[in-house]
Amino acid sequence: MRKSLAYRIITTTILLILAIISILPIFLVLMNSFKTHEDVIRNPLLPSFSAGFSNYPVAWEAADFSHTLINSFVYSGSTVLVVIFCAFLAAYVLAGRKVKYSSAVLLYFMVAMTVPVQLFLVPLYSFYANHKMLSNHFFVSLILAAVYLPLAISLLRTYILSMPRELEESARVDGAGTITLLTHIVLPLVTPGLITVAVIVCLNSWNDFLISSTFLMGQKSFTAMLSLMSLNGAQSSNDHGVNMAATMVLIGPVILIFIALQKYFIDGLVAGAVKG
């Protein structure tokens, strides 16, 4: 029992230290968002409420968040929907080996996860420019969707592989078609995996800078991330308190989404790891 107690104490201490390391940067950003520029420069670690909430309206107007946040929701939402729809269908086909050379296709997706998207930026940009698809959030989101599809297919495939084949066979005997089978039997069983994939893709697409900065032209098409980066290069970036407030506006929705879905996200990761 002494060894068990010592193990729990050591484990708890390590996890507590890791939690503090993870939360501390966000806490510092939040704390400094309520301080004036002078107080941030003087001592960023000293708690203060010298600026109150005045930095937030300034940051909201300077970064045009009323417009760029909507662009980010469209950009991230389109990516998530495309990935979930395509990955769900592809994972079902690959898990059931319903096509020839499914192993080769799966191997291709595994290899695709190791290929950096930077290799394709030039030909993709040329293609998008020639077809006048630049600055279109949906079309640009297809690039991100292609980047995250291999990972999403791999995760969802583990869920479908764990399904008893008797369920599918019974549904087929009862006369269920493919669409009915997917929507009423397969989909409810892989919902934790879909939520896990959605959270991963949403977080990465919300914070994306490389693809959005390359293919989204003009401030009207800027996402919140691009707006924040442009704010750092503007005159108002001299005010670090405003920059901190703008950063909190950007990461706020991500934190809320993760908190709301963390139970399903963690359950999905654990279940996928066990089933895979």
Side-chain angles (χ1 to χ4, degrees), residues 100-252:
K100 291 183 179 180
Y101 311 113
S102 58
S103 298
V105 175
L106 184 61
L107 178 61
Y108 168 78
F109 282 124
M110 295 299 102
V111 174
M113 286 194 293
T114 66
V115 179
V117 68
Q118 289 87 342
L119 294 177
F120 306 100
L121 286 183
V122 174
L124 280 173
Y125 184 88
S126 177
F127 176 84
Y128 270 60
N130 292 334
H131 292 80
K132 299 181 180 180
M133 298 164 61
L134 296 175
S135 300
N136 186 302
H137 294 93
F138 175 75
F139 287 129
V140 176
S141 70
L142 295 179
I143 301 175
L144 271 184
V147 172
Y148 299 122
L149 261 177
L151 175 62
I153 293 173
S154 177
L155 289 175
L156 293 179
R157 180 175 171 272
T158 60
Y159 285 88
I160 298 176
L161 284 174
S162 67
M163 288 175 45
R165 286 192 173 273
E166 291 77 9
L167 288 177
E168 183 175 352
E169 294 173 356
S170 299
R172 294 292 188 184
V173 171
D174 293 338
T178 302
I179 297 178
T180 302
L181 177 67
L182 289 174
T183 55
H184 291 82
I185 296 178
V186 180
L187 184 61
L189 293 176
V190 301
T191 297
L194 291 175
I195 295 176
T196 302
V197 170
V199 171
I200 293 175
V201 175
C202 182
L203 294 180
N204 284 278
S205 57
W206 183 271
N207 295 322
D208 170 68
F209 176 76
L210 176 64
I211 303 299
S212 57
S213 63
T214 303
F215 295 91
L216 297 178
M217 304 296 179
Q219 292 187 351
K220 290 184 178 180
S221 63
F222 274 11
T223 60
M225 173 59 72
L226 293 180
S227 183
L228 176 64
M229 298 305 295
S230 65
L231 178 64
N232 289 333
Q235 182 65 27
S236 57
S237 64
N238 293 329
D239 193 327
H240 292 326
V242 172
N243 287 340
M244 297 296 176
T247 303
M248 285 306 304
V249 173
L250 176 65
I251 66 177

Side-chain angles (χ1 to χ4, degrees), residues 253-266:
V254 175
I255 295 175
L256 294 177
I257 291 174
F258 184 79
I259 291 176
L261 299 177
Q262 64 174 333
K263 178 181 181 299
Y264 306 99
F265 177 73
I266 296 174

